[in-house]
Amino acid sequence: MLETKPKFQTFEDYLAYEDDTDKLYELFNGKLIEMAPESGINVQIGIFLILQFSKFLDYRQIRGQGLELEVRGEPRNRYPDLTIIREEHINLLAKRNTIRLFMPPPLLVVEIVSPGELQRHRDYIAKRMQYQDCAIPEYWIIDPENKTLLVLNLKDKIYIEVGEFSRDDKIISSQFPQLDLSLTQLFEIKS
């Protein structure tokens, strides 16, 4: 039996599609591209950050990789490794964990770079442009390979680099000044 993959004309068509699996897809040129599972280190960093943010935020505002962002360009959607949403998103996302372009942007998006040049380009360039276009106020790029964190803030519709943090540097976040975390803590992953 020949299995045909659906082709979507609009983002709304894609949102209406259900394949009865837990798979995550990016919508690229109308076609579904299945996303590969995250590496163990990326998952551990993501969980550690969730625990840190939960010390001062309502847990419902902290979303892991399952949160979907509609973006302009290709692909039409992204699944950040960690997203801090606004309180108003909690009710908006009750039925589907998707932030649409017509909704207010989340407060923070975090991407944890997976190994490989394609993934590095995607997080540092392609996603940066898409998140900037969505007016997300703060974007973090965590690079486990280099043990760095790049913090970007939106100013006049353009991301500016707040800093690239490494070693014992304390993370500086304009959105979350109460965060008390150094890079050493972030990369102290217990095995």
Side-chain angles (χ1 to χ4, degrees), residues 119-189:
Q119 288 77 2
R120 181 169 296 286
H121 179 272
R122 184 180 62 208
D123 289 340
Y124 278 94
I125 297 172
K127 289 181 183 180
R128 178 179 176 161
M129 291 171 45
Q130 287 180 311
Y131 296 160
Q132 177 180 278
D133 179 65
C134 290
I136 298 168
E138 191 164 307
Y139 175 36
W140 292 7
I141 304 171
I142 298 174
D143 190 336
E145 188 175 307
N146 295 319
K147 295 192 174 175
T148 59
L149 182 151
L150 178 63
V151 174
L152 303 160
N153 279 348
L154 198 65
K155 182 173 172 117
D156 299 324
K157 300 183 182 181
I158 304 283
Y159 276 137
I160 58 162
E161 294 185 12
V162 171
E164 184 170 53
F165 303 98
S166 62
R167 297 186 195 94
D168 292 328
D169 293 342
K170 186 173 175 174
I171 298 169
I172 297 171
S173 168
S174 62
Q175 292 292 310
F176 305 100
Q178 66 272 55
L179 185 68
D180 185 22
L181 184 64
S182 72
L183 260 287
T184 302
Q185 291 171 284
L186 182 66
F187 290 114
E188 281 181 348
I189 302 299

Side-chain angles (χ1 to χ4, degrees), residues 9-173:
Q9 299 300 317
T10 67
F11 197 72
E12 283 70 24
D13 292 343
Y14 157 75
L15 290 175
Y17 174 73
E18 180 59 56
D19 70 354
D20 296 321
T21 71
D22 290 338
K23 296 177 182 178
L24 299 178
Y25 299 101
E26 287 184 338
L27 181 62
F28 193 85
N29 287 328
K31 296 180 184 171
L32 298 179
I33 308 296
E34 185 177 345
M35 297 184 59
E38 284 291 333
S39 70
I41 191 76
N42 287 19
V43 170
Q44 288 176 339
I45 291 170
I47 290 170
F48 178 76
L49 285 172
I50 288 170
L51 293 171
Q52 298 308 305
F53 280 106
S54 69
K55 292 176 181 177
F56 57 88
L57 287 175
D58 180 336
Y59 75 93
R60 296 173 301 166
Q61 289 182 259
I62 308 165
R63 303 291 168 110
Q65 192 192 24
L67 180 119
E68 179 180 37
L69 287 174
E70 180 184 13
V71 294
R72 290 179 190 84
E74 296 294 338
R76 298 279 315 274
N77 60 328
R78 296 290 188 177
Y79 294 91
D81 293 305
L82 180 76
T83 306
I84 305 298
I85 62 173
R86 299 168 189 270
E87 285 184 37
E88 64 209 75
H89 285 127
I90 295 168
N91 289 332
L92 292 171
L93 303 180
K95 290 187 180 173
R96 184 175 176 123
N97 203 23
T98 301
I99 295 179
R100 302 289 312 273
L101 288 170
F102 59 81
M103 295 177 180
L107 298 170
L108 169 68
V109 167
V110 177
E111 292 290 356
I112 305 167
V113 182
S114 296
E117 280 308 306
L118 177 64
Q119 288 77 2
R120 181 169 296 286
H121 179 272
R122 184 180 62 208
D123 289 340
Y124 278 94
I125 297 172
K127 289 181 183 180
R128 178 179 176 161
M129 291 171 45
Q130 287 180 311
Y131 296 160
Q132 177 180 278
D133 179 65
C134 290
I136 298 168
E138 191 164 307
Y139 175 36
W140 292 7
I141 304 171
I142 298 174
D143 190 336
E145 188 175 307
N146 295 319
K147 295 192 174 175
T148 59
L149 182 151
L150 178 63
V151 174
L152 303 160
N153 279 348
L154 198 65
K155 182 173 172 117
D156 299 324
K157 300 183 182 181
I158 304 283
Y159 276 137
I160 58 162
E161 294 185 12
V162 171
E164 184 170 53
F165 303 98
S166 62
R167 297 186 195 94
D168 292 328
D169 293 342
K170 186 173 175 174
I171 298 169
I172 297 171
S173 168

